Amino acid sequence: MSLVNLEYLFKDEEVLSQESLPDYASLDFVSRGSHIYGEILWPHRLQEKKHPCVIMLHGFPGSARNDDISHALCRIGCVVLVPHHRGAWGSEGKYLISNCVDDAVNLSNYARSEDFVKHYNIDSSQIFLLGHSMGGNSALNAGRQLDFIRGIIMLSPYDPTCFLKRGKEEYIKALLHEGHILNSDGIDSIYQDIVEKAENLSFINAFESVKNKNILIFAAKYDTVSANEEMVMPLWNKLKENMMNRREKSNLPVQKLIEYPVEHGLLGRRISMISEIAAFINDAGEN
């Protein structure tokens, strides 16, 4: 039995029961004392099998939406959580990159809590983290801390430590100026957080913790925000080498890198991307 119903990825179910309709509601959970707001989407509740849960993590500053992904995943049978991080878009607390990672960890644990699992009929062994841009950083660095995460999905992931290592601090500072709309102690505070937490945020430093995890990475060939060769490829090359050198060839994790000839937002390949994400969740869930 497949984990999800891929036939409904781009079409609606013909028959719906009024007693178990798919729907959405507000998300409100507490992360380190701050209320994190967002959205919960759930599929119809007639199916007997439990639902995988996908946590969608936004990038910086969070204005880019991925509703096409969340609705598609909901249609195929996933419960989808779409949070706004501390200090972003109405959520309480102060915005920091490390707080985004911490929020992702806390929300992952929340998704496995007894009440939440029972209410939404979730399979607690099927929790996925999906993040775009800086959200890819949140997904990777939260996923490296959590043994139970079934898969990590990164869309045009952004490694905030990359330019620090190359003496190009002005690159990251230029990006951070887009964060003036966030509730924080200022751009310098966000930058200093990256400097102080660099060892815990660096993509390459996550390798040992994620080398045996299911991972799907989307890279945009013409990305002017995330530098693929500097941010994505060092980690991917180590993952690929590790897979090739493994003596045990059975029960290998699902690991895949897909590059599209598009820009940072992956517009122009959204249909293909959503199809790949759904297939990954299905394959990783059965792995």
Side-chain angles (χ1 to χ4, degrees):
M1 179 184 295
S2 64
L3 181 67
V4 292
N5 301 315
L6 294 175
E7 63 182 304
Y8 296 119
L9 191 61
F10 297 115
K11 74 174 185 177
D12 297 314
E13 293 186 61
E14 293 182 7
V15 179
L16 295 172
S17 170
Q18 185 176 353
E19 288 73 36
S20 61
L21 293 173
D23 207 352
Y24 67 93
S26 296
L27 170 68
D28 181 0
F29 89 105
V30 178
S31 180
R32 306 290 182 186
S34 296
H35 282 268
I36 302 298
Y37 304 122
E39 184 180 33
I40 308 172
L41 298 87
W42 62 85
H44 75 81
R45 303 187 187 189
L46 281 183
Q47 63 183 54
E48 295 181 3
K49 61 184 179 183
K50 294 181 179 296
H51 304 297
C53 179
V54 181
I55 301 172
M56 305 269 294
L57 304 168
H58 66 75
F60 184 89
S63 52
R65 302 277 298 184
N66 287 290
D67 292 341
D68 53 344
I69 303 175
S70 57
H71 282 275
L73 296 183
C74 183
R75 281 195 300 272
I76 65 174
C78 298
V79 172
V80 184
L81 306 185
V82 188
H84 298 301
H85 290 293
R86 264 176 273 176
W89 306 101
S91 289
E92 295 179 347
K94 296 295 180 70
Y95 184 93
L96 292 172
I97 303 302
S98 63
N99 281 352
C100 293
V101 176
D102 193 44
D103 291 341
V105 170
N106 296 336
L107 186 51
S108 298
N109 286 313
Y110 174 70
R112 296 178 79 237
S113 63
E114 183 177 354
D115 289 345
F116 194 86
V117 165
K118 182 178 180 180
H119 185 76
Y120 292 103
N121 194 28
I122 288 173
D123 184 341
S124 60
S125 71
Q126 302 288 349
I127 307 294
F128 293 83
L129 291 171
L130 186 158
H132 171 244
S133 193
M134 198 76 81
N137 171 74
S138 302
L140 177 67
N141 286 304
R144 71 192 278 194
Q145 300 178 47
L146 302 169
D147 291 338
F148 61 80
I149 291 297
R150 177 65 67 169
I152 298 170
I153 305 165
M154 297 185 286
L155 321 179
S156 307
Y158 189 92
D159 182 345
T161 71
C162 177
F163 293 125
L164 296 181
K165 302 171 187 175
R166 298 177 178 273
K168 297 180 179 179
E169 294 87 349
E170 67 275 10
Y171 284 44
I172 181 67
K173 286 185 176 181
L175 171 70
L176 293 181
H177 278 289
E178 295 184 20
H180 67 278
I181 58 177
L182 300 170
N183 181 31
S184 72
D185 288 329
I187 302 304
D188 289 340
S189 176
I190 299 174
Y191 174 76
Q192 191 58 37
D193 175 64
I194 296 172
V195 173
E196 293 176 358
K197 307 291 175 43
E199 289 299 311
N200 297 323
L201 296 175
S202 169
F203 280 16
I204 200 67
N205 287 354
F207 168 73
E208 284 296 330
S209 299
V210 304
K211 64 183 182 182
N212 296 319
K213 290 184 179 291
N214 300 308
I215 297 177
L216 174 61
I217 305 174
F218 293 94
K221 183 176 181 180
Y222 303 117
D223 200 327
T224 55
V225 177
S226 297
N228 292 325
E229 290 301 318
E230 297 172 289
M231 295 184 182
V232 175
M233 295 311 297
L235 174 60
W236 174 249
N237 287 336
K238 290 200 70 172
L239 289 170
K240 184 169 64 173
E241 181 183 10
N242 176 66
M243 291 286 280
M244 292 177 61
N245 292 336
R246 283 181 60 150
R247 294 180 180 178
E248 288 289 334
K249 298 302 180 183
S250 59
N251 298 320
L252 292 174
V254 181
Q255 295 183 350
K256 190 173 184 179
L257 171 69
I258 300 172
E259 183 181 65
Y260 290 134
V262 293
E263 246 287 6
H264 186 66
L266 298 163
L267 276 69
R269 288 295 183 271
R270 302 289 294 190
I271 301 299
S272 172
M273 178 183 68
I274 290 171
S275 299
E276 292 284 356
I277 291 171
F280 170 79
I281 288 173
N282 196 57
D283 293 344
E286 296 178 336
N287 186 29

